Amino acid sequence: MTESALPEIVEAVLVWLTANASLVLAAGSASLALILLWVDHRQLARELEAEATSSLAASDAPTQQTQGAAPAALVPEVYEDDELAAAAAAPSIEPESIPAVPVPEPLVEVAPAPESAPVAEAAASIQPELEVVAEPEPIAEPEPEAIAAPGPEPERAPEPAPTPEPEPVAPRVGLRERLAKTSQNLIGRLGGVLSGRTVDAELLDDLEMLLFTADLGVATAESLLDSVKKKAAGADAQRVREVLHEAIYEKLQRVEGPESEPFPASGPKVILVLGVNGSGKTTTIGKLAAQYTREGKKVILGAGDTFRAAASEQLQVWGERSGCEVIAGKPGGDPAAIAFDTVKAAIAREADVCIIDTAGRLQTKKPLMEELAKINRVLSRDIEDAPHECLLVLDSNTGQNAISQAQLFTEVAKVTGLVLTKLDGTAKGGVIVGLADEFGIPVRYVGVGEGIEDLRPFHAREFVDALFEEG
């Protein structure tokens, strides 16, 4: 290879590399691209140098011949490029001796020819291997679940009515305190009559007056006076007190009923309650129902007093307080129909006790007798021997009038027990002795206060001891 051919080969390589610089750059070799750019710059500089040398030689030759000017080496010139300055300083060369340098044709961008196998392998060795990372497949978003339209809410079962809590039991107050007024009216006055005296005719007269005004009743007062005459004649006051204490106890002890009436073998126990308006009849029913409930009994009440205003409402209040169901009817309705419905409800609900209120009218005996007789017939249809108890409620405040009421009711109904109410607020409690002595009906309960626990079973010994106890 000659030296003249070397520039052409280098130029050809440079031209190829220049034409394919974009391919090299696309391959990602930044360093090779920089080298190619530098080579491209050198090629351009050489071309400019060649053109400048050619034009300089052509312009300097005539000037030297005609004007005899100094050689070009003696004329200093300023060149921007160091290489051009070096070329100008070189000795002049005849134009004929300078080989013609072919002027490169303008570059036309053409589609790159298919690379030969060696060149392709070289490019592949130069180009860094690029890992083709497959794009991840798009993850399909889950379709939203169809939300069913809310249907109508199921109807809630009605909540059972809360069972009323039983009222707290207040501390039991002594019977002596409850009977203080009656004790003062009878025993207190007795102490004033007997003070420092012996039994004589004058004392017996004073004692008779005291007994007749103590609401004992005429027959009972005479009976007690006879006991004093026989057992304490000529004795002192203490002996008179002892004789009266024992005589009253004997009368009350005869009417002391059992602690509670027995329950029937099957079905509910039916209790019919009688009494005039204002005697405390409805209140007694409510307290009695509360006591049975505390004992674990299931109780149903019948509001049979359909004639007294607000009697049914009053019983409803007691039913709520004691947790008992109340069977009621229309105002002015038939009491026998209420009694019938109450018994039917008691049987159906398997109640233990059935307590029925009645009307308290005493204008005439005949309507009252017919009404009570009808109620008795209705009650005995479904339950044999019903009513099992028939309680007569009497107000102790009425004194001897309670004896008259007892007489009327015992004529029209089979009364099995007495209830003496309001003994804590009256001085006429001695009527209980007269009732026991005249009728001989068991005294089942005594009312000595407003509380449920103040409806107490009657005990003769406790009652008499409380009367004669000195405060």
Side-chain angles (χ1 to χ4, degrees), residues 8-23:
E8 294 181 0
I9 295 173
V10 172
E11 182 179 359
V13 172
L14 293 175
V15 169
W16 183 89
L17 292 175
T18 302
N20 293 277
S22 59
L23 179 62

Side-chain angles (χ1 to χ4, degrees), residues 383-398:
I383 301 177
E384 188 177 357
D385 299 329
H388 304 100
E389 284 193 72
C390 185
L391 302 179
L392 174 61
V393 180
L394 298 170
D395 183 0
S396 300
N397 281 312
T398 60

Side-chain angles (χ1 to χ4, degrees), residues 53-62 64-65 91-101:
T53 304
S54 175
S55 60
L56 181 61
S59 61
D60 288 346
Q64 293 176 359
Q65 293 176 4
S92 299
I93 303 175
E94 294 295 331
E96 290 81 3
S97 62
I98 300 173
V101 179

Side-chain angles (χ1 to χ4, degrees), residues 30-72:
S31 59
L32 181 59
L34 291 175
I35 294 172
L36 293 176
L37 288 175
W38 180 82
V39 172
D40 191 25
H41 174 72
R42 293 293 298 170
Q43 180 185 359
L44 180 60
R46 290 182 183 279
E47 291 176 358
L48 292 175
E49 180 183 356
E51 290 178 1
T53 304
S54 175
S55 60
L56 181 61
S59 61
D60 288 346
T63 303
Q64 293 176 359
Q65 293 176 4
T66 57
Q67 297 181 359

